[in-house]
Amino acid sequence: MAPSRGSERSTGADMGENSIELDIRVPNQTRYLSLIGRIGEDLARELEKEGGRRETLARHLNTVLTEAMTNAIVHAHDGDPEKTVHISISMADDELCIRVFDQGQGFDLNAVSMPDFDRLEEHGRGIYIIRCLMDTVVYRRLREHNVLEMHKKLRRS
Amino acid sequence: MKIEVTETHGVTLLMLANDRLDAHNSDLVKGRLRDVFESGAKDVVVDLSEVRFIDSSGLGAMVSGFKNAVSHHGRLVLSGLQTQPRSMFDLTRLTRVFDIYENAEAALGSFAGQ
């Protein structure tokens, strides 16, 4: 049965049968990390593709969302609890895209180097972890906000 | 985050009783570890068997504890890593740094006869 197409379509984007788009706004507070991480896990479990890798994907999404959101809360927004973090997660046929928006000064993602594994530092692993778990990671500085945009191709089981 | 601290034969065991160790509670854990070393502990086991998820801030708290141990001429070891925490330690090469045991008993036992 074809899904009904009509008033339920809230965006102008052409959404396919298996597309999911989530747009979430939460206060700029680390207590919401676990909520967003859990949403990522649950979303991965909805996937028909990925098969046995679904649980791995669930852990990866939890990790990536947590790292990206922490980056916005702690670094871009300086922990200001009055601010808001906007996260969008979209899943089309074979591709997952996570965007985390911030209204901070922005930073140069290309200047973030690999961690030095021979030096035991407390910080500096977040972006590295995101890069390991996603296929592409870009940071764009736009006029009204910045966005950390992460893509991952989904595989057939 | 509930942290249970017990001492057995001079070894301090910190049991992190929470399913996540992330930027929300990592400072608390880091502070607690610092307190433990400042009040005289040298050898510490951090049991992560209840922690299902750790992020880079949580790893940072463990690194901070490890450095505290070194500066107090002691040792900090870990036990009970679940799947996600294990893969995070692997990904960031921290498995080269930390001694990791299957469970708290094995970790405590590693200090015997030192």
Side-chain angles (χ1 to χ4, degrees):
Chain A
M1 192 176 75
S4 73
R5 298 278 174 105
S7 58
E8 282 174 1
R9 289 180 62 186
S10 59
T11 67
D14 199 12
M15 286 182 67
E17 266 181 74
N18 300 313
S19 305
I20 297 175
E21 281 190 27
L22 295 178
D23 224 18
I24 310 163
R25 283 174 178 78
V26 289
N28 191 59
Q29 297 167 30
T30 52
R31 55 180 294 208
Y32 295 104
L33 290 172
S34 96
L35 171 68
I36 303 304
R38 260 196 327 267
I39 289 172
E41 288 200 332
D42 286 348
L43 193 59
R45 294 190 182 113
E46 287 293 320
L47 289 176
E48 287 173 27
K49 287 175 192 167
E50 294 287 310
R53 287 185 292 266
R54 219 177 278 162
E55 281 306 308
T56 305
L57 182 69
R59 286 192 292 271
H60 288 179
L61 285 196
N62 191 345
T63 307
V64 167
L65 284 163
T66 301
E67 295 294 347
M69 208 175 135
T70 298
N71 198 57
I73 295 171
V74 179
H75 300 296
H77 296 163
D78 225 3
D80 181 350
E82 302 284 310
K83 290 199 161 131
T84 300
V85 183
H86 173 198
I87 300 129
S88 99
I89 309 171
S90 66
M91 221 150 34
D93 292 334
D94 295 320
E95 179 143 320
L96 166 78
C97 175
I98 298 173
R99 294 185 186 88
V100 176
F101 299 86
D102 74 74
Q103 297 100 47
Q105 296 283 311
F107 69 101
D108 182 4
L109 183 68
N110 296 323
V112 180
S113 54
M114 283 274 287
D116 181 346
F117 296 117
D118 293 323
R119 289 186 51 168
L120 201 49
E121 303 284 354
E122 271 183 54
H123 303 282
R125 295 182 180 85
I127 295 290
Y128 164 74
I129 289 167
I130 293 173
R131 281 176 169 150
C132 287
L133 302 182
M134 299 295 285
D135 296 334
T136 62
V137 184
V138 292
Y139 187 79
R140 293 183 222 284
R141 288 188 232 211
L142 307 172
R143 198 173 301 165
E144 306 207 334
H145 53 240
N146 309 303
V147 58
L148 183 64
E149 187 172 314
M150 300 155 280
H151 289 263
K152 190 179 180 74
K153 277 255 177 269
L154 301 176
R155 295 172 293 182
R156 287 177 193 285
S157 53
Chain B
M1 152 91 72
K2 203 168 139 215
I3 306 171
E4 291 164 18
V5 184
T6 50
E7 203 195 303
T8 325
H9 305 301
V11 183
T12 305
L13 171 66
L14 266 86
M15 164 90 185
L16 306 188
N18 205 52
D19 72 333
R20 283 176 70 98
L21 174 52
D22 63 17
H24 187 54
N25 52 20
S26 57
D27 278 349
L28 187 92
V29 172
K30 184 174 150 180
R32 196 63 190 271
L33 276 166
R34 193 179 48 229
D35 293 346
V36 161
F37 285 106
E38 280 176 4
S39 56
K42 286 195 188 308
D43 297 325
V44 171
V45 175
V46 179
D47 184 67
L48 296 170
S49 57
E50 295 208 6
V51 177
R52 205 176 60 82
F53 179 90
I54 191 167
D55 72 352
S56 61
S57 311
L59 295 173
M62 294 301 105
V63 167
S64 165
F66 185 90
K67 289 177 158 181
N68 275 326
V70 171
S71 66
H72 286 84
H73 307 288
R75 254 176 94 208
L76 180 142
V77 306
L78 306 174
S79 64
L81 269 65
Q82 295 193 36
T83 309
Q84 192 273 358
R86 166 68 71 171
S87 71
M88 292 292 273
F89 277 87
D90 280 334
L91 198 61
T92 55
R93 318 281 201 277
L94 286 172
T95 37
R96 287 189 207 159
V97 174
F98 288 90
D99 287 334
I100 299 170
Y101 296 88
E102 189 69 23
N103 52 50
E105 291 71 31
L108 289 166
S110 75
F111 289 97
Q114 273 192 354

